[in-house]
Each structure stands twice: as structure tokens, then as C-alpha cells.
Amino acid sequence: MVARATGRTADAIAHAERGAAAAPPGLVRAQLHAWALLPSLAAGGRGDDAGHALTTALNELDSAAETEAPGRFGFDSAELALHQAEAYLVLSRASDARARAEASLSDCISGTPGWAAASLVLAQAEAPQRSAHTTCSNGSRPPGSVPPRAPGSRT
């Protein structure tokens, strides 16, 4: 995540590949492919490889004994759809990003951090078809809608 955020895409891909290879089957492997490998490959412009990472994440989630793990470091279908939407934005597939952001929103509880993240990605995906005012309005609403965390809370 840090490597990708600092523009070190090759390092991000290498770290993500090592993590995904070491992850146990099921939910953890799905999370590593969706959260680390998919966006890193998308950032590197490797659309086909990103598609393979997504397919692996979906297959791992489908075959997982547990399909979600709540909490700060948890993973579920809403988060998978969010990462998919983010990757589609990077790959300039705005309509696909919009559809996956909407899917993430529909699986989220309104007012949660995941809901806010999906709302912001949706605003980004819709930006090319909307006015600057509407995009800014849609993008600024979610962060103010999430209540502050309780002291000591990890979620």
C-alpha cells in the first residue's frame, strides 16, 4: 500500500505477489488479491493481470468457509467491490467503476467508513458525466456523514 501510494508500482506488485502467494486459501487470499494485488497491477497498467487477480479474489471468496470477517482488518463482498471499483477507475473504466461502487454501497451500512469510501469512489466514477459542482457536492457529503470513532475503537 505504501509502495503503491509513493509511486513505487513495481515494488507494490512484488510485495502483493509475495503476500498473495503466502496467504492461506479462502478469505485471506481473496483479500490479498483484491486489496493488494488488483490495485497494484491496475496502477502498473496491467489490465489483463489485474483481471486475473480479480478472478482469483472472486473464486477465493466464493470458496471461503466464511465469506466475511468484520472489523478493521476484515474483508467482505462490499470491500471486494470497492477495490474492484478503484481498480476500474485507474484502468479508465468509469462505467464499470460506477457499477462496482454502487454494488459496494448496496452492501454497506450507511454512515460507516466503508460506505463513505464507496460513496467517494462513486463520485469519482460519475465525475466525467457530471458538473463540477455536483461532483464536489457528492464527494464532500460522505466524509461529514461518518460519525467520529469512539476513543479506543479500532473499527
Side-chain angles (χ1 to χ4, degrees), residues 80-90 96-98 100-101 121:
L80 174 60
L82 175 64
H83 295 309
Q84 189 177 1
E86 292 169 329
Y88 285 152
L89 278 177
V90 172
D96 292 328
R98 180 181 180 168
R100 298 314 302 152
V121 172

Side-chain angles (χ1 to χ4, degrees), residues 1 4 27-39 53-54 57-58 61 67-88 97 99-109 112-119 121 154-155:
M1 190 172 183
R4 191 173 65 244
L27 197 59
V28 174
R29 189 172 293 158
Q31 184 174 21
L32 265 286
H33 276 82
W35 171 77
L37 193 53
L38 172 62
L54 174 61
L58 291 167
L61 191 61
T67 58
E68 61 181 63
R72 173 66 184 100
F73 295 103
F75 188 71
D76 58 16
S77 61
E79 186 176 349
L80 174 60
L82 175 64
H83 295 309
Q84 189 177 1
E86 292 169 329
Y88 285 152
R100 298 314 302 152
E102 288 172 340
S104 181
L105 271 173
S106 73
D107 286 346
C108 288
I109 297 169
T112 62
W115 171 86
S119 297
V121 172
R154 297 190 69 168
T155 59

Side-chain angles (χ1 to χ4, degrees), residues 6 10 13 17 20 26 37 45 52 58 66 81-82 87-88 92 106 121-122 124 132 137 139 141 144 146 149 153:
T6 57
I13 292 169
E17 287 174 335
L37 193 53
H52 293 302
L58 291 167
E66 294 181 39
L82 175 64
Y88 285 152
S92 300
S106 73
V121 172
L122 180 59
Q124 286 180 294
S137 176
R141 193 173 323 122
V146 177
R149 291 188 321 207
S153 171

